[in-house]
Amino acid sequence: MTEQAVTDTTHRYSEAAGLRSIAADFSSDRQAFRNVSWGKAMMWIFLLSDTFVFSCFLISYMTARMSTTVAWPNPSEVFALTIGATSLPLILIAIMTFVLISSSGTMAMAVNFAYRRDRRKTAVLMLVTALLGATFVGMQAFEWTKLIHEGVRPWSNPWGAAQFGSSFFMITGFHGTHVSIGVIFLLIVARKVWRGDYDQERKGFFTSRRGNYEAVEIMGLYWHFVDLVWVFIFAFFYLW
């Protein structure tokens, strides 16, 4: 009886300790997110959901590529660009990647100057970021036009597996849409920064408390995510 009572007491104590541990974990999470603004929290939730979407697209692409019995087109040949009489493999994709990664650097500097409340430099750097993003989208449109002219369709292509076209247009098109939306919002926020809306607490969309440039940081989160996704697309679609 004594041993049974000791066992029961130990079991109840372990359960109580486990419940207290769970409560402590939830409490620490609450403390960690207490000072996080709703805008930043919603952006993180959106980016998390978007991560799942892009992951599904890339996994579907890899599954289709590994399961097809027809030869997959060689990216070095498909995405080659002829300059003069020389065919340069992946040269356009390399320039696109450089432009987009550079835009991530200008966006980071814009966020840095926003923390310092230097609205002129912040606005200029955001406009430069938007320009680089628009350049990327323009080069992607040129790439699409070139491939469509060469006979690539969502259901067929002249080089091999029919799944290539649908995978290419779906993944790069979805990413290009994200970049285009990001460029639009960069222009909107840059205009508000330039006008001093965040210093005067002017009413309107994407306006926060006076002296708070959090909207710039939220745009930075989105833009860095778009750049990071392109790194995976570049690795799995163009280099594999």
Side-chain angles (χ1 to χ4, degrees):
M1 288 293 293
T2 303
E3 292 180 356
Q4 182 65 30
V6 171
T7 302
D8 292 342
T9 302
T10 303
H11 181 68
R12 286 195 297 270
Y13 177 78
S14 300
E15 288 182 348
L19 292 175
R20 283 196 297 270
S21 176
I22 294 174
D25 289 340
F26 276 107
S27 298
S28 63
D29 291 340
R30 179 174 176 273
Q31 292 293 332
F33 288 96
R34 171 174 289 182
N35 297 322
V36 176
S37 68
W38 69 269
K40 193 181 296 185
M42 291 302 102
M43 177 55 73
W44 277 115
I45 292 173
F46 168 75
L47 295 182
L48 180 62
S49 63
D50 228 20
T51 299
F52 289 123
V53 175
F54 275 108
S55 298
C56 290
F57 282 172
L58 289 174
I59 291 173
S60 299
Y61 156 72
M62 290 186 287
T63 302
R65 180 166 179 174
M66 290 186 293
S67 61
T68 182
T69 56
V70 183
W72 197 263
N74 185 357
S76 297
E77 298 176 0
V78 175
F79 301 109
L81 189 64
T82 302
I83 301 177
T86 306
S87 179
L88 302 175
L90 300 177
I91 183 63
L92 179 63
I93 311 305
I95 297 173
M96 291 168 60
T97 303
F98 175 77
V99 168
L100 200 60
I101 297 302
S102 298
S103 73
S104 189
T106 57
M107 188 69 234
M109 288 190 289
V111 173
N112 184 28
F113 282 111
Y115 281 134
R116 303 179 187 181
R117 300 183 182 179
D118 189 336
R119 63 187 181 91
R120 297 293 180 182
K121 291 181 181 179
T122 300
V124 169
L125 285 167
M126 292 188 73
L127 290 174
V128 172
T129 304
L131 177 62
L132 292 172
T135 303
F136 174 87
V137 174
M139 289 189 291
Q140 192 171 64
F142 172 79
E143 178 190 32
W144 275 42
T145 303
K146 173 179 175 293
L147 292 179
I148 292 173
H149 179 73
E150 292 174 351
V152 179
R153 299 292 186 272
W155 52 87
S156 66
N157 71 87
W159 298 293
Q163 298 93 326
F164 171 82
S166 58
S167 300
F168 171 78
F169 289 124
M170 178 184 66
I171 294 176
T172 59
F174 194 63
H175 178 265
T177 302
H178 278 69
V179 177
S180 301
I181 293 173
V183 168
I184 294 172
F185 279 95
L186 279 169
L187 294 174
I188 293 173
V189 176
R191 179 173 179 267
K192 296 179 75 66
V193 171
W194 184 267
R195 292 193 312 178
D197 288 9
Y198 299 111
D199 293 323
Q200 304 168 11
E201 200 174 358
R202 185 177 299 175
K203 300 299 182 181
F205 292 106
F206 309 110
T207 303
S208 56
R209 295 184 301 275
R210 179 175 297 176
N212 190 340
Y213 285 77
E214 190 177 65
V216 179
E217 183 182 2
I218 293 173
M219 272 306 310
L221 291 174
Y222 177 85
W223 196 257
H224 293 318
F225 170 79
V226 170
D227 292 353
L228 180 61
V229 168
W230 176 254
V231 171
F232 285 96
I233 294 175
F234 178 74
F236 284 104
F237 208 98
Y238 296 98
L239 297 183
W240 183 17

